[in-house]
């Protein structure tokens, strides 16, 4: 029997989902400042997370950070990392709108850390890149446009009001000639002064770029194989590194020697640092480095020997901390028709296409410069890790590459620190690229969850009360945060996203239990949105059945008369219309519905399923989403489609199990994903509301599992309450 202690190895510094919480202040105040007010403080923190999940960010106004204008054209430097979600394209549209240029006139470049963006801007997670930068980027572009207009007016000797900006040039009233932005900059003498306030922004009715589909700015390079990913990074004179991995989570090196690895062909150095729990090999090829690692003589000790049954026994909903309380639940559950159900979701991997990888060059000396090329969602986290490992006084230049998927796993970059240690020891640039086996077994994972819900409904189909219990592992809490602090707060803020049912419930009591697991857990697409919505929307369906009501009608009846309720109503009705909910499904098929609200985006979907040889087959997913203002409809739809595919993969296939302190699956032969043949028809409708954009990267994944499970019940009469779904 193993000792169940939290793992503190793999998530040492993958610590900051900054846009979600101002935890440095909020959590500290909650724990230290008001220890006697925790019952009031927890709901306040929950409210903060719900209302501030998408910002704010430290986005600069200075146009010189964002843009560079030369005779060759206009370069737009983007602080957000591109990992397939199309963020460079969407931000280019926003910039082009206010700058009054055609998007194709912008050369879009990934900003490196020397560009000057603050750590509070240069990250990509939380479905907030567009929503957080929408206004700051527009203001910077508009300010540059007006600075150019004023300078052009000075050069031409005409009033600024006589100049009209369009297509990267100024048209002069009463004249046929024009003046390009490049010519204005070329003729300018001396520096400029930023205004105290940003320039006036365009009215929505005047938009020419925002709201229109446009080709992705990275499309050609990706088709031609010209895009650089972390795994592709190369410089002259570089070597390759490989690192020894512990056989169990939390194991430490008691002893290590080079053994036969030092004599292995192509090996230039074996690096051993027991204090850092690190042993690596540097060679002239990746294959030789990996082969040499197998010849190291290592003795590991400690760590966990936990097995799957122990994990499942630990993650059980029940006693915990109250995160929402409204009305008298006990009395409500004594009325109407009462039901109870339990749901669970397993450990799951990120399974991104590109494993972790980084190329690092460390200059000699205690203060030698570090240069990094890596696929990361958060450069500052990588730089913090490097400073911790190699010294605080080193200058670091980090070049973010394209990411072959991230989903939260690349919020930091373990490979960068490994490559840096090896580069420092050899004096050469070193590239470390993880194997698929390393990426599946040595990562952190989506934590398992367990849910218990009790509820009652009236004869006319109104929800009277719900009592809800949930349990899960850590998601955003860093391993460096003291356990007593985590225990005092009592819940991980990432674990409550998607937790609350979006209906009008007079008596509602929600208790959450945080478990410190002996396996590493952390960020995953949507944080808690997918597992929590699976439980909440499956239970909503069970309440509808208890009330003898159509599941769609039941949801519409119980939505609150609020802005969020109206938006959910709109997406539910649109998804139903697209799916043909009012008409019978094809013979042998059935439909299920689910909805959710995350990062201010409302989404709903209807799954159409059948059984083929006893297996669940999803034929069609009809999706409707309201992300506020849509920047690029094509990009938004593709994000929704990606969420559906990833959600279906988790719903039908994905599960990790633990044996003797280690994940059992090492590759896709034992961790299957959704295949192209299994991928259904996906229809996406966008229902716009308001004048600002919200997130699209994660919200749509939330309702996927519940929609499919509810469809299976409609088809078979069997409730499947555990993921992945198995008949």
């Amino acid at each position: 029997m193993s000792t169940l202690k939290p793992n503190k190895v793999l998530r040492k510094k993958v610590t900051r989902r900054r846009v979600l919480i101002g935890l440095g202040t909020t959590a500290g105040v909650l724990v230290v400042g008001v220890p006697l007010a925790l019952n009031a403080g927890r709901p306040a923190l929950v409210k903060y997370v719900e209302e501030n999940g998408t910002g704010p960010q430290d986005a600069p106004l200075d146009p010189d950070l964002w843009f560079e204008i030369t005779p060759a054209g206009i370069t737009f430097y983007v602080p957000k990392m591109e990992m397939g979600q199309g963020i460079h394209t969407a931000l280019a549209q926003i910039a082009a709108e206010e700058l009054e240029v055609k998007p194709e006139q912008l050369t879009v470049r990934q900003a490196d850390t020397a560009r000057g963006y603050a750590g509070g801007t240069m990250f990509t997670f939380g479905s907030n890149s567009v929503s957080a930068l929408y206004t700051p980027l527009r203001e910077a572009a508009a300010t540059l446009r007006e600075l150019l207009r004023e300078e052009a007016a000075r050069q031409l000797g005409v009033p600024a009001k006589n100049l009209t900006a369009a297509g990267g040039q100024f048209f002069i009233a009463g004249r046929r000639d024009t003046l390009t932005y490049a010519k204005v900059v070329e003729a300018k003498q001396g520096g400029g002064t930023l205004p105290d306030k940003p320039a006036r922004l365009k009215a929505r009715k005047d938009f020419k770029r925002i709201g229109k589909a446009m080709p992705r700015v990275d499309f050609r390079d990706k088709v031609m194989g010209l895009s650089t990913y972390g795994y592709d990074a190369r410089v002259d004179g570089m070597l390759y590194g490989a690192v020894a991995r512990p056989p169990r989570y939390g194991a430490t090196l008691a002893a290590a020697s080079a053994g036969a690895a030092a004599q292995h062909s192509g090996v230039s150095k074996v690096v051993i640092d027991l204090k850092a729990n690190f042993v690596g090999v540097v060679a002239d090829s990746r294959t030789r480095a990996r082969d040499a690692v197998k010849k190291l003589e290592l003795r590991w000790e400690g760590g966990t020997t936990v097995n799957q049954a122990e994990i499942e026994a630990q993650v059980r909903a029940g006693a915990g901390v109250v995160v929402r309380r409204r009305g008298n639940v006990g009395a409500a559950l004594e009325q109407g028709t009462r039901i109870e159900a339990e749901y669970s979701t397993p450990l799951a991997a990120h399974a991104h296409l590109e494993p972790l990888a980084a190329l690092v060059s460390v200059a000699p000396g205690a203060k030698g410069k570090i240069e990094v090329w890596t696929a990361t969602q958060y450069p500052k986290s990588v730089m913090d890790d490097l400073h911790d490992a190699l010294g605080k006084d080193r200058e670091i230049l980090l070049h973010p590459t394209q990411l072959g998927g991230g989903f939260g796993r690349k919020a930091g970059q373990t490979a960068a620190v490994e490559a840096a240690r090896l580069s420092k020891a050899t004096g050469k640039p070193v590239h470390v690229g993880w194997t698929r086996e390393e990426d599946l077994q040595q990562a952190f994972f989506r934590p398992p969850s367990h849910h218990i819900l009790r509820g009652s409904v009236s004869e006319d189909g109104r929800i009277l009360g719900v009592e809800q219990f949930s349990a899960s592992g850590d998601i955003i809490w860093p391993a460096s945060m003291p356990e007593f602090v985590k225990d005092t707060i009592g819940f991980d803020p990432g674990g409550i996203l998607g937790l609350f049912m979006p209906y009008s419930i007079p008596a509602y009591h929600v208790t959450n239990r945080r478990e410190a697991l002996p396996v590493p857990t952390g960020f995953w697409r949507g944080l808690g949105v997918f597992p929590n919505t699976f439980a909440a929307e499956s239970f909503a369906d069970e309440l509808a059945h208890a009330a003898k009501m159509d599941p769609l009608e039941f949801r519409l009846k119980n939505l609150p008369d609020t802005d969020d309720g109206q938006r959910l109503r709109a997406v539910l009705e649109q998804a139903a219309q697209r799916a043909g909910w009012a008409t019978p499904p094809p013979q042998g098929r059935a439909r299920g519905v689910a909805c959710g609200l995350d990062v201010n985006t409302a989404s709903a979907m209807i799954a159409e399923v059948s059984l083929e040889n006893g297996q669940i087959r999803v034929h069609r997913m009809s999706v409707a989403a309201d992300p506020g203002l849509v920047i690029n409809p094509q990009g938004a739809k593709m994000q929704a489609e990606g969420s559906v595919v990833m959600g279906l993969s988790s719903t039908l296939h994905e599960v990790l199990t633990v044996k003797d302190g280690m994940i059992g699956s090492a590759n896709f032969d034992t961790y299957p994903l959704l295949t192209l043949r299994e991928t259904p028809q996906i229809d996406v409708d966008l229902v716009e509301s308001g004048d600002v954009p919200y997130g699209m990267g994660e919200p749509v994944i939330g309702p996927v599992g519940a929609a499919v499970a509810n469809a299976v019940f409609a088809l078979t009469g069997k409730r499947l309450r555990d993921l992945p779904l198995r008949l």
Side-chain angles (χ1 to χ4, degrees):
M1 180 70 69
S2 66
T3 302
L4 298 180
K5 294 182 178 179
N7 180 277
K8 296 187 178 181
V9 177
L10 296 182
R11 291 196 61 227
K12 180 185 175 188
K13 287 283 287 183
V14 184
T15 63
R16 286 168 288 265
R17 188 151 178 139
R18 288 186 54 173
V19 294
L20 181 65
I21 46 173
L23 287 180
T25 54
T26 304
V29 170
L30 189 65
V31 175
V32 180
V34 268
L36 300 179
L38 284 173
N39 287 337
R42 290 189 188 104
L45 179 55
V46 171
K47 190 172 187 293
Y48 178 89
V49 171
E50 287 189 298
E51 293 180 354
N52 296 277
T54 58
Q57 291 187 24
D58 303 325
L61 173 63
D62 187 352
D64 286 342
L65 285 179
W66 298 91
F67 305 102
E68 183 178 21
I69 302 177
T70 69
I74 305 172
T75 302
F76 171 41
Y77 291 95
V78 185
K80 300 299 184 181
M81 278 55 73
E82 178 62 64
M83 49 188 176
Q85 80 279 40
I87 189 58
H88 284 189
T89 303
L91 294 179
Q93 285 182 256
I94 296 170
E97 185 68 73
E98 291 293 347
L99 198 52
E100 290 292 6
V101 299
K102 299 174 182 177
E104 56 267 28
Q105 290 179 283
L106 292 176
T107 299
V108 181
R109 293 282 182 264
Q110 173 65 60
D112 60 33
T113 55
R115 189 70 197 167
Y117 289 106
T121 301
M122 204 169 185
F123 60 83
T124 305
F125 43 65
S127 298
N128 74 345
S129 293
V130 167
S131 59
L133 293 189
Y134 175 67
T135 298
L137 176 53
R138 289 181 67 199
E139 290 176 344
T143 298
L144 177 56
R145 180 195 69 220
E146 294 310 307
L147 288 172
L148 289 168
R149 190 195 306 272
E150 291 172 9
E151 176 61 21
R154 188 191 66 77
Q155 293 176 13
L156 293 167
V158 300
K161 66 181 181 179
N162 288 2
L163 301 181
T164 301
Q169 58 189 330
F170 291 106
F171 292 84
I172 308 158
R175 292 165 54 174
R176 293 186 176 182
D177 56 329
T178 62
L179 186 62
T180 67
Y181 292 176
K183 290 293 185 182
V184 174
V185 173
E186 189 176 7
K188 187 179 186 305
Q189 296 181 358
T193 302
L194 280 177
D196 294 332
K197 295 181 180 180
R200 177 177 295 183
L201 302 179
K202 294 170 65 175
R204 182 174 178 178
K205 64 181 178 59
D206 297 324
F207 285 171
K208 304 183 186 73
R209 320 294 179 196
I210 293 174
K212 304 290 193 304
M214 66 168 277
R216 287 180 57 136
V217 298
D218 56 352
F219 180 75
R220 182 182 182 278
D221 282 355
K222 287 185 173 177
V223 170
M224 300 297 290
L226 300 175
S227 295
T228 299
Y229 293 82
Y231 233 100
D232 302 327
R234 300 288 187 271
V235 295
D236 292 340
M238 63 178 276
L239 298 172
Y240 294 88
V243 177
R245 306 295 177 191
R248 301 171 301 280
Y249 300 122
T252 57
L253 275 167
S257 65
Q263 286 74 47
H264 189 76
S265 177
V267 170
S268 58
K269 196 170 188 68
V270 175
V271 181
I272 299 175
D273 186 342
L274 293 181
K275 185 177 180 181
N277 211 42
F278 179 85
V279 180
V281 174
V282 182
D284 59 5
S285 76
R286 200 185 309 282
T287 299
R288 285 174 169 174
R290 289 174 177 171
D291 288 344
V293 165
K294 300 173 185 176
K295 298 182 179 182
L296 294 168
E297 294 179 359
L298 308 173
R299 180 164 62 85
W300 298 90
E301 62 182 26
T304 180
T305 57
V306 69
N307 287 301
Q308 184 63 29
E310 297 170 83
I311 296 287
E312 293 176 3
Q314 185 181 2
V315 182
R316 300 291 298 177
V321 298
V322 175
V323 292
R324 179 153 298 175
R325 178 186 283 119
R326 181 172 63 238
N328 188 335
V329 171
L333 294 182
E334 295 298 322
Q335 305 172 37
T337 301
R338 172 176 167 161
I339 63 170
E340 179 174 338
E342 295 187 30
Y343 308 90
S344 72
T345 65
L347 283 161
H350 303 81
H352 36 67
L353 183 63
E354 177 198 29
L356 298 191
L359 170 62
V360 181
S361 178
V362 179
K367 296 184 179 181
K369 181 179 178 179
I370 303 173
E371 191 163 10
V372 185
W373 296 261
T374 190
T376 176
Q377 295 174 241
Y378 192 13
K380 187 178 185 301
S381 178
V382 178
M383 295 167 72
D384 287 346
D385 288 350
L386 290 169
H387 277 138
D388 287 346
L390 273 68
K392 302 287 187 184
D393 295 332
R394 292 180 182 268
E395 177 188 351
I396 299 176
L397 172 60
L398 191 148
H399 308 273
T401 67
Q402 297 253 345
L403 285 73
F407 312 122
R409 175 63 183 100
K410 295 176 183 173
Q413 248 296 357
T414 314
V417 178
E418 295 168 349
R421 292 185 187 278
L422 298 175
S423 176
K424 179 176 180 289
T426 59
K428 299 280 189 179
V430 176
H431 189 284
V432 171
W434 284 29
T435 64
R436 178 60 61 190
E437 289 77 8
E438 287 175 308
D439 215 61
L440 269 177
Q441 294 187 314
Q442 303 291 335
F444 58 82
F445 313 100
R446 185 188 75 202
S449 71
H450 179 246
H451 311 258
I452 300 173
L453 289 99
R454 306 181 182 105
S456 61
V457 290
S458 64
E459 290 184 0
D460 64 348
R462 295 284 183 183
I463 303 175
L464 299 175
V466 170
E467 187 174 34
Q468 183 175 351
F469 301 87
S470 66
S472 187
D474 285 340
I475 296 179
I476 67 170
W477 285 146
S480 58
M481 180 183 285
E483 281 298 310
F484 84 90
V485 176
K486 301 177 189 178
D487 289 339
T488 302
I489 296 173
F491 70 94
D492 184 307
I496 64 170
L497 296 181
L499 183 63
F500 305 113
M501 300 181 74
Y503 305 106
S504 180
I505 306 174
Y508 191 29
H509 191 258
V510 184
T511 301
N512 180 260
R513 179 186 182 93
R514 169 200 164 261
E515 288 292 345
L517 298 176
V519 298
T521 59
F523 314 130
W524 196 83
R525 190 172 193 170
L527 306 183
V529 167
F530 178 75
N532 289 336
T533 307
F534 167 68
E537 278 296 283
S538 293
F539 191 66
D541 226 62
E542 300 207 41
L543 288 171
H545 182 71
K548 299 181 174 58
M549 284 185 67
D550 173 88
L552 174 63
E553 180 186 349
F554 178 81
R555 285 170 171 80
L556 295 174
K557 183 168 187 172
N558 282 282
L559 285 173
D561 187 19
T562 62
D563 288 345
D564 286 344
Q566 291 169 7
R567 295 173 68 217
L568 282 167
R569 179 179 301 276
V571 293
L572 279 165
E573 290 175 342
Q574 180 58 47
Q577 179 180 339
R578 173 67 66 180
W581 183 269
T583 63
Q587 183 68 30
R589 300 185 187 182
R591 301 187 184 111
V593 61
C595 66
L597 189 67
D598 179 48
V599 294
N600 292 319
T601 292
S603 62
M605 62 191 62
I606 291 172
E608 186 171 291
V609 309
S610 72
L611 297 183
E612 291 185 1
N613 300 318
Q615 302 297 312
I616 300 167
R617 177 66 187 274
V618 181
H619 296 274
R620 184 182 180 191
M621 297 291 287
S622 301
V623 181
D626 174 3
L629 173 69
V630 175
I631 304 299
N632 184 324
Q634 183 181 38
K637 289 182 179 181
M638 291 172 67
Q639 283 282 73
E641 291 166 355
S643 288
V644 169
V645 170
M646 191 169 180
L648 286 175
S649 189
S650 249
T651 298
L652 299 176
H653 296 302
E654 295 182 48
V655 57
L656 291 172
T657 56
V658 181
K659 183 178 181 181
D660 298 329
M662 178 58 62
I663 292 295
S665 298
N667 213 314
F668 294 133
D669 56 338
T670 54
Y671 190 79
L673 304 177
L674 191 78
T675 65
L676 186 61
R677 188 189 70 83
E678 295 172 300
T679 303
Q681 173 185 338
I682 304 173
D683 301 310
V684 180
D685 290 311
L686 300 174
V687 182
E688 288 190 276
S689 66
D691 294 320
V692 295
Y694 302 126
M696 273 299 292
E698 297 168 305
V700 174
I701 200 173
V704 174
V708 175
N710 294 338
V712 172
F713 173 75
L715 181 68
T716 66
K718 296 180 180 179
R719 284 286 178 195
L720 304 183
R721 301 186 177 99
D722 305 297
L723 293 183
L725 301 178
R726 297 282 186 267
L727 282 169

